[in-house]
Amino acid sequence: VAGLWRDAVRLYDTKTWELVLELPSGQRGRELQSVGFSPDGMLLVAADSRSVRIWRVPDGAPAKEHGMVLQLACFDPSGSRLVGVRDDR
């Protein structure tokens, strides 16, 4: 997975380094903070400087978006919850 400063999160095949899927965030210039897969590999979460997004990996369809700013977002081991960390200085 590669998060881009521009407007997408890209998934690459690690054997061939070919682009497998590009997930559009719809916003340019957002600073990507973290990306992570659900334990079953079916969902991908990305936290950027303005929101948290979840996509379905098989078809690249958006699953959810939340306007919360997090520095880190990941799935718990069961895959049923999202864990987030934010800096509230």
Side-chain angles (χ1 to χ4, degrees), residues 6-87:
R6 23 179 248 127
D7 58 352
V9 174
R10 293 180 176 173
L11 279 71
Y12 292 91
D13 182 305
T14 57
K15 292 184 182 186
T16 65
W17 294 108
E18 290 183 29
L19 181 64
V20 174
L21 186 62
E22 185 168 280
L23 306 168
S25 68
Q27 299 293 326
R28 288 187 160 275
R30 289 187 174 184
E31 182 180 349
L32 188 68
Q33 304 288 333
S34 69
V35 294
F37 287 99
S38 61
D40 63 4
M42 299 299 284
L43 297 173
L44 178 106
V45 62
D48 66 30
S49 57
R50 295 191 191 135
S51 65
V52 176
R53 289 180 184 79
I54 300 173
W55 291 274
R56 292 190 306 259
V57 173
D59 60 6
K64 248 188 207 299
E65 181 175 349
H66 193 289
M68 181 179 289
V69 176
L70 297 174
Q71 277 67 46
L72 175 66
C74 61
F75 289 94
D76 77 339
S78 73
S80 63
R81 292 190 174 117
L82 194 63
V83 180
V85 176
R86 69 185 224 181
D87 185 1

